[in-house]
Amino acid sequence: MRYLPHTEEDIASMLETVGVEHLEDLYSTVPSGCRRSTPLNLPEPLSEWELDNHMSGLAATMGASPEYTVFLGAGNYEHFIPESVRYLLSRSEFVTAYTPYQPELSQGTLQAIYEYQTLVSRLLGMEIANASLYDGASALAEALLMTVRITHKEKIVISGAVHPAYRQVVRTYFSSTGYEIIELPYLEDGRTDLSALRGMQDVAGVALQSPNFFGCIEQLSQAAEITHSFGALFVTAFSEPLAYGLYKNPGIQGADIACGEGQSMGIPQSFGGPGLGMFATFMKHVRSIPGRLVGLSRDVSGKRGFVLTLATREQHIRREKATSNICTNGSLCALATATYLASLGRTGLGELARLNFDKSEYLKAALRSAGFRIRFSSPTFNEFVVEFPPGFDAVYDRLLQKKIIAGTRLARYYPELENCWLLCVTETKTREQMDRLVREVKA
Amino acid sequence: MRYLPHTEEDIASMLETVGVEHLEDLYSTVPSGCRRSTPLNLPEPLSEWELDNHMSGLAATMGASPEYTVFLGAGNYEHFIPESVRYLLSRSEFVTAYTPYQPELSQGTLQAIYEYQTLVSRLLGMEIANASLYDGASALAEALLMTVRITHKEKIVISGAVHPAYRQVVRTYFSSTGYEIIELPYLEDGRTDLSALRGMQDVAGVALQSPNFFGCIEQLSQAAEITHSFGALFVTAFSEPLAYGLYKNPGIQGADIACGEGQSMGIPQSFGGPGLGMFATFMKHVRSIPGRLVGLSRDVSGKRGFVLTLATREQHIRREKATSNICTNGSLCALATATYLASLGRTGLGELARLNFDKSEYLKAALRSAGFRIRFSSPTFNEFVVEFPPGFDAVYDRLLQKKIIAGTRLARYYPELENCWLLCVTETKTREQMDRLVREVKA
Amino acid sequence: FDELLLWEKGAKGRRGMSLPPRDVDLTSPDQALVGELPDLPDLSEMDVVRHYTRLSQWNFGVDQGMYPLGSCTMKYNPKTNEKQAGLQGFAAAHPLLPDSLSQGAFKLIHDLERFLAEITCMDAVSLQPAAGAQGELTGMLIIYAYHKSRNSKRTKIIVPDTAHGTNPASAALCGFQPVNVKSGEKGILTPEVIAQVMDESVAGIMVTNPNTLGLFEEHIIEISEIVHEKGGLVYCDGANMNAIMGIADSAKMGIDIQHLNLHKTFSTPHGSGGPGSGPVCVRKHLEPFLPVPRIAFEEGVYRLSEDFPQSIGKLHAFYGNYGVLVKAYSYVLSMGPLLQRASQLAVLNANYIKELLKDVFHLAYDRPCMHECVFTDKEQHEQKISTFEIAKRLMDYGFHPPTIYFPLVVSGAIMIEPTETESKETLDSFVQAMKSIAQEAKDHPELLREAPTKTKVKRMDETAAARHPCLTG
Amino acid sequence: FDELLLWEKGAKGRRGMSLPPRDVDLTSPDQALVGELPDLPDLSEMDVVRHYTRLSQWNFGVDQGMYPLGSCTMKYNPKTNEKQAGLQGFAAAHPLLPDSLSQGAFKLIHDLERFLAEITCMDAVSLQPAAGAQGELTGMLIIYAYHKSRNSKRTKIIVPDTAHGTNPASAALCGFQPVNVKSGEKGILTPEVIAQVMDESVAGIMVTNPNTLGLFEEHIIEISEIVHEKGGLVYCDGANMNAIMGIADSAKMGIDIQHLNLHKTFSTPHGSGGPGSGPVCVRKHLEPFLPVPRIAFEEGVYRLSEDFPQSIGKLHAFYGNYGVLVKAYSYVLSMGPLLQRASQLAVLNANYIKELLKDVFHLAYDRPCMHECVFTDKEQHEQKISTFEIAKRLMDYGFHPPTIYFPLVVSGAIMIEPTETESKETLDSFVQAMKSIAQEAKDHPELLREAPTKTKVKRMDETAAARHPCLTG
């Protein structure tokens, strides 16, 4: 077997050194009652050649780009990833290393993550960012737990226009605590109804997402102002950070914590994971942050270098008093995003964001001209909600036959939004593809 | 442009340093009569995203495995390449380096090529091998030129069962010299007719290929004996070196030079190139070898290291008196083959060669049972000639529709072999695919 | 050579990637909402490639050499697994594709769940947790939900002193009060100690088996019985599963919930610290509490189901780290029943090192170990050499250091996990290096105190970094 | 850390790769023909991966840093080109596929030929030669065939002293006698010198333009006229094409044949010494002599044609290094008319270095240069420091050395070609390094004499290697 280097001779000589006769004898400390009664019932090992065939077969069943024209967004985005990013991420020095506990052997990861923290802070308009969390949903849950840790209050408020799955994850994370979760409704224009927020009490944190699940840009400044008025922390979540290449960032609008999903920046879609939990805040909260942090330092000869730092917040030092239980995070994904942002640069980020915006406006206008209602009037970034005539399900299925996937049905998450579909357009959709979509839905 | 780092500010400041005003002014030494009158008429630059689409479109037109079941051999073989080999070959330290002129910065390439030379020598049963030539065809031409250099005789003899393209390349390389080329006919059993060889005179070198173009194993020992009897050098060519995992190698059978194509060992088919010119001989001929050589040495502190050596044979030192004009060779392909052979190992090589042989014998037997004639009776390795009934062209085209490519038509190279087709079976063909082929040709 | 920080390079207007062409007109976004562009550096593609290529060269991974980090199972990560995860059909698959266009991905999830159930002898599996610690949290939430469903409010979780730090942290995150218990003289838990702390306020126990001393918890069955008798549940941290695949039966041991680390036992790469994957396996009675969605296979079709009213909910926006699951699935298909052999060889390798080094370094517990063995720096105290120096010196010999100062119950612990993918020759040279270091500790202790010297940086000032944190540039 | 040789590792029976399953019976090969298996080491997959990963770490490529090797055009090799060449449709394509299943590959060949013709202003192109030197050989054979077709037997080829060594070697391989001519005081050829040697025994001239001093051959038109007048042909070694894309017109210069190095000008990687590709471009009158097969496009279908009775024949078993062609084609499509800009910036970069270093190092010819500039070690003679030491010392600064001691006409030549993909900052730091070295030559010459010190090995004993060659282990 190509992954097991031991020859029979090796095994014999090593067993002799250890002083037992058979491999089985190595398990003398495992009581017989603990042992399995049957051998492993798994398929016989596949050769790499067979594995290739098997996996290609599975992969071929999927409705993936570019074979399919996919107008799905809703927290997972199709963006072009340059081959240079993919190549760099494949280098085994990054791929096969562990968490950089030994800084002398990990300066590559450490510098890259330090740079990632910096790029993310700048993108979000915050002072500091951590080294990554699992994904956007758990990052939001961690952010709200952090508001509780900081304020010692026991209620959290979350907009109903936050990604439904994110809200579910928050509920799960909070399910065994006694903390109360209040949901804010959304308005007819697709934004969160902030009126209910005024005068709230005992609130630790208020969370909005922008662009929100409907693609709408929220009034973050107003929300921050109200939130701060009753002493709570304001959390801005996001699932499409590329929007900040066009729209104002969370920091400048008063967010105390900005967190969300970074998948759209250089990370393959991969059926929803792994993504990247981005998490940024201000220096005054540094000791309450969940997850790892990389800091600048010097070695004994005074040379610049990087280390994991503030580990006293972490579980391996502080155990049950840690700021979170996170150990493995999403380093390689953070590295992907850093590499992607480095490739894009400030200029490229601006152009790419505009291209996403303009393309999605193009489709919006085309659908409107074709007689469909754009459900919400608020400005959006690269996805929006359209209301189709009743019976669109059949049209949707007909489009599938033509290898077009016409968005996500919203009724599943919001029963009141029957006949509403969330459509996403990134730079990967051509005008021709959008025109075709409009033609086909009209047909 | 992503490959051109200069900003307008950079250019302005650099032009100032150089002391000219515009980029065009840098060409003051190019007379106006030498300048082109029109701008470059090339397509506008494609973005990487457009390039991906364009190239996938071209690639999709090709009849490539695994979509097609390809029974083609004839000098280019489909063998499974493990992903580990592909990954290692993608590392830019190997890919983007130049010829290792500066040994201190090139120990990786140098050690790898030294190891390649060793593995190839062992595989072919020779004492030494060079660092690679372009491909099998030019390697054979270089070998025959070398026999002329060593013997100072002016005739060379080559079997008509040598790959037709190799013979053409040899003719091209010899076309401007006065040397005579004699071709030996092949026998009814598919092997070279050695009778014409006896008693020849003024011959520098005699070349056979084994397995030859028909897949047949030649009587190398006899040919070597006769060749040596009149003082010529015996050259064994090959296009499928995997055969030496089963059959006797050239060295043990008296070859003075063994050379051929290494593509089948870890190198993608790539529509015929790049391949790998393998070239091995004995130490006594070392100073007549064409191409580069890597040798073992020590650094000033006595540490083991590797260098390009015997450069005095080469064009950059010896100019017109060089043993060849070769400069760039096929390093990365040599590295691929070394990596592949290292992965395969002695044990794996033997098993793989047997698998190729047994599979091809299976198809041979199945075709024979189905009533088709196996044209030549000599033992073969993984390809063989079958004679189909007249009118097989139509069947062949029908099979193409079913995505089966039933070998190469031989009449194109050997008009007398009408209705004969060369079929190849490697480890990548399943019994089911072979059964299907037989069913379809019978239908 | 030093590499500048990203923003110390570049020049405005450079481009490191191209964008698809603009085939639509410019429109007018609401200017009141438009913000300033962030201050990111503009670099060319080569700038970026060189930058990260150079950074990579200062990193040490499994492909660079032996990485015997105890409890982390740094085994070889097959290249083909990366290839499979990169297949367009998986890498470019949107998680909300219609079911009819997701069958391959669903089948993979379904089959991997069954494989992991078979390997652990548990009944049902969720692949949703994104890492081991999230698996632990999932387990704790299931324990919470289980007791709640029985109208029992329990507040404590028993956690042995050998547990990973994530165990108490996960319990605490879920609102439980961890109750620390000491392992016995032999390095394993005794039923007596558990019996003392187990009562009706205790929701369950978190046990790692084999434990972090590399020892099999021989009394696990009795311990489970004690816990079950008082209505508690047994949670097993499966981080050390690499020792016992095909050998032990979690169900027989009385385990109710167990998480696995695919990035340890199932060879998905650690990626410098993630992404990982921490599936949770449960017995039948806890299946209703598993996270949703769950995969179902009916009439030849795979589909997702959310219809589990007792479920703890979702842990991930979609289905967990699918890209990681692909790699683990490829690994299991490549190994099949040989996984048992992998465990045996992992244990053989650890015992081999233990035998060869125990005359030179003090062995914390001189007993047959599982996949890892724990030494201490006791023998080197005389030379005033500590575990820290030994670890740093190993770098100069081309090895990654073992895990150090963990588990906390062993003072100056040196925790070595070789994994099954290391060959005898590599183990022999590691042993040789360790012996040389022990000799150097006697003859040239300064070599250890100044180590490492062959690395990109020398010893880093971690204290200053923590005192005056500089986290962004 | 040293890495053992492959065969110093491994153990019999290990496996580094798996084979497809055996689904046929064992048969009996003729035992008289069966041989012994070669003595190859058996290694595990991880053994192999670690071995070559470590070897890679001792190599320096363009991705590692500036590689200003004169005449080699070490520009950035875009990653996307590797991806395109790796597409299954190309990488797994057999060269003898039916025409109907080869249209994409044929179109690529056809279009690339047209692109190269456009760039050089020549009429027809063959992509068959596998490297520059094989391109030269092809050119020489075409010259031979051309004269033969006119019943003229010519025996000599004029080769300037600034030519690459491959030029005389290629001419000699083709049976021609090279006639060396000296370049003039300004570093370029003078018409007078050519007129002196040009007669009816001369088949043609091989000229490199820009030449290896980085200078444009200003008299090329007159020289071509002289050669043509006596019935000779003008061959241009296009190794230095990177200076003049979109600027110069080879046809106007009187060039009859020109080869290009795709692995230089068109950014296909050098691969540690190959594979390359050396297409040959000719004027109309030489088209009949180009290698076969040639590509034809008729009625919307691409096909190959061998019907060129005057063709010199085949240089390659199939169509040349197709995988390399894919990369060059991708590069041209990515750059388009910006190739002119690439040339301009390459020339700008070389002149920038020339200006900044000419006060510190002696400039062989103080004239506007093209894509490279040539210095010498004359200023350092006083300190007994030579080009060799300067080159080795550059390694300690993290740069690959320039080409040294070439061209031969310049004593102690230091030939610097930065290429257009290096940024101003990188050039500035290279200049700074060279200046520091010049200063060190004065203050601390021992630093240069002992260099390099930061590399895997120190200076190698090349003499002993050549005297007692050890070529296999």
Side-chain angles (χ1 to χ4, degrees), chain A residues 90-338:
Chain A
S90 78
R91 288 184 60 87
S92 66
E93 292 90 332
F94 291 132
V95 175
T96 70
Y98 198 74
T99 302
Y101 288 135
Q102 296 286 351
E104 298 87 349
L105 290 180
S106 315
Q107 285 300 301
T109 299
L110 288 164
Q111 178 168 339
I113 297 297
Y114 176 78
E115 292 173 347
Y116 161 82
Q117 292 174 174
T118 305
L119 298 178
V120 167
S121 301
R122 292 183 185 185
L123 177 71
L124 302 177
M126 311 296 282
E127 281 176 2
I128 54 172
N130 75 6
S132 76
L133 297 172
Y134 311 135
D135 71 342
S138 61
L140 176 56
E142 292 281 2
L144 290 168
L145 286 170
M146 179 169 147
T147 66
V148 174
R149 273 199 304 281
I150 293 176
T151 64
H152 303 289
K153 295 180 182 165
E154 306 216 332
K155 274 191 237 170
I156 60 157
V157 179
I158 188 165
S159 161
V162 165
H163 194 300
Y166 290 22
R167 281 181 284 132
Q168 278 183 282
V169 171
V170 169
R171 287 196 182 279
T172 303
Y173 267 73
F174 277 73
S175 61
S176 64
T177 65
Y179 310 134
E180 186 185 349
I181 302 178
I182 301 165
E183 272 199 20
L184 297 177
Y186 61 89
L187 297 167
E188 261 311 291
D189 67 358
R191 296 185 297 187
T192 303
D193 183 356
L194 299 176
S195 62
L197 203 54
R198 295 199 187 275
M200 279 196 174
Q201 284 185 337
D202 292 327
V203 174
V206 174
L208 263 62
Q209 176 181 327
S210 184
N212 67 22
F213 187 64
F214 307 130
C216 297
I217 310 302
E218 293 277 7
Q219 306 178 82
L220 298 180
S221 297
Q222 288 94 316
E225 199 184 324
I226 303 171
T227 301
H228 292 153
S229 74
F230 48 79
L233 294 171
F234 182 58
V235 176
T236 299
F238 52 83
S239 71
E240 178 45 294
L242 186 59
Y244 304 132
L246 173 63
Y247 291 118
K248 283 180 184 154
N249 64 47
I252 208 169
Q253 295 180 88
D256 298 292
I257 302 173
C259 61
E261 177 58 56
Q263 174 273 325
S264 75
M265 296 188 146
I267 301 169
Q269 297 180 271
S270 287
F271 208 52
L276 169 67
M278 286 183 171
F279 194 101
T281 183
F282 289 88
M283 199 61 199
K284 64 180 169 188
H285 301 309
V286 67
R287 282 168 207 276
S288 305
I289 286 192
R292 298 191 193 279
L293 294 167
V294 172
L296 178 74
S297 189
R298 304 264 157 200
D299 75 0
V300 289
S301 65
K303 194 169 167 187
R304 181 166 79 179
F306 303 90
V307 295
L308 286 178
T309 193
L310 296 174
T312 50
R313 295 165 303 108
E314 287 189 60
Q315 38 70 29
H316 66 280
I317 304 284
R318 213 171 159 78
R319 298 179 79 87
E320 67 263 30
K321 297 200 176 65
T323 54
S324 82
N325 70 335
I326 285 177
C327 180
T328 290
N329 52 20
S331 269
L332 204 64
C333 295
L335 189 58
T337 291

